[in-house]
Amino acid sequence: MEFKLRKWQETDLDSLVKHADNVHVARFLSDQFPNPYTHESGREFLSVAISDDPVRIFAIEADREAVGSIGIFPQTDIHRKNAEIGYWLSETYWGRGIMSEAICRIVDYGFKTFDITRIFARPFGSNRKSQHILEKAGFVLEARFEGVLIKNGELTDELIYALRK
C-alpha cells in the first residue's frame, strides 16, 4: 500500500486522535501513550513532534491522513551511538506491509542523519506481530527480560531487537 513518512503538522490533530484512540493500538505501547487518546493528548504530542530539528517523529500518511507514527530517538551519554525506534499504526491499516517498510525507511534515515551505529526496539514479549515486523526488517533479538513490564495489570516480557550499521 502506498504511504509516506512526513513531518507532523498541527492540521493532523483530528486524524491523529481518530487513529490513536484505540485500545488495540495502545495495548502494546508504554503508558505514555494515553488511552483514551484525546484532543488534549494529541495537542501535547504534536507540540513535541513538530518542534524537533532534525525530525525525530514522523507521521505515517496513507489515504491523505496521518494514520500512525514512527520515531527515532538518539540516546545520550554512554549510549550515544544508539537510537531507539518506536512506532504505532492505526488498526485499520494493519496487515498491509506499511510498518515493515516504514521501519526500513526510518533505519535508513537514522543511520544517515545521526551519529549512531545501532538502532534498537523494545517490543513486548506478547507482541508477536511487532517482533515479526522487526525480524523482517533485519533486526536481531539481542535480549529477553522476563516479567519486567506491567501493562493493564499484567506482567510481560520485554525484548530487545537491534540492527547494527
Side-chain angles (χ1 to χ4, degrees):
M1 175 170 196
E2 291 290 320
F3 74 96
K4 65 180 174 180
L5 299 184
R6 61 160 173 81
K7 188 170 182 158
W8 281 98
Q9 304 164 1
E10 289 181 14
T11 55
D12 291 323
L13 180 61
D14 288 338
S15 63
L16 169 61
V17 173
K18 172 185 169 183
H19 293 286
D21 188 26
N22 181 321
V23 69
H24 300 290
V25 170
R27 75 178 176 188
F28 291 123
L29 299 172
S30 79
D31 289 341
Q32 291 178 345
F33 189 93
N35 185 260
Y37 202 101
T38 64
H39 279 81
E40 181 181 333
S41 305
R43 280 189 287 278
E44 288 174 18
F45 167 77
L46 289 173
S47 72
V48 171
I50 291 170
S51 67
D52 279 342
D53 185 25
V55 177
R56 288 182 170 84
I57 307 170
F58 292 87
I60 299 171
E61 181 183 302
D63 297 328
R64 295 185 170 163
E65 62 180 359
V67 300
S69 187
I70 189 164
I72 185 159
F73 307 95
Q75 306 295 291
T76 60
D77 196 31
I78 61 173
H79 299 128
R80 66 186 167 272
K81 290 294 190 176
N82 299 274
E84 182 176 7
I85 60 169
Y87 46 86
W88 65 268
L89 185 65
S90 171
E91 186 175 12
T92 305
Y93 292 87
W94 291 357
R96 299 186 189 190
I98 292 173
M99 195 52 72
S100 296
E101 178 61 26
I103 289 172
C104 290
R105 291 182 196 178
I106 202 77
V107 163
D108 185 54
Y109 172 80
F111 284 137
K112 287 179 179 175
T113 306
F114 303 104
D115 183 20
I116 56 174
T117 59
R118 178 177 168 268
I119 297 175
F120 68 96
R122 301 180 305 152
F124 289 18
S126 54
N127 190 347
R128 282 294 309 143
K129 288 182 181 180
S130 188
Q131 295 164 42
H132 176 72
I133 288 168
L134 289 165
E135 291 164 358
K136 190 174 170 183
F139 282 69
V140 175
L141 178 64
E142 289 187 342
R144 173 185 296 270
F145 300 99
E146 295 182 17
V148 297
L149 303 177
I150 186 159
K151 181 72 176 187
N152 298 322
E154 294 182 25
L155 282 174
T156 189
D157 297 351
E158 177 181 32
L159 306 181
I160 307 293
Y161 276 84
L163 183 66
R164 295 178 187 267
K165 195 171 187 177

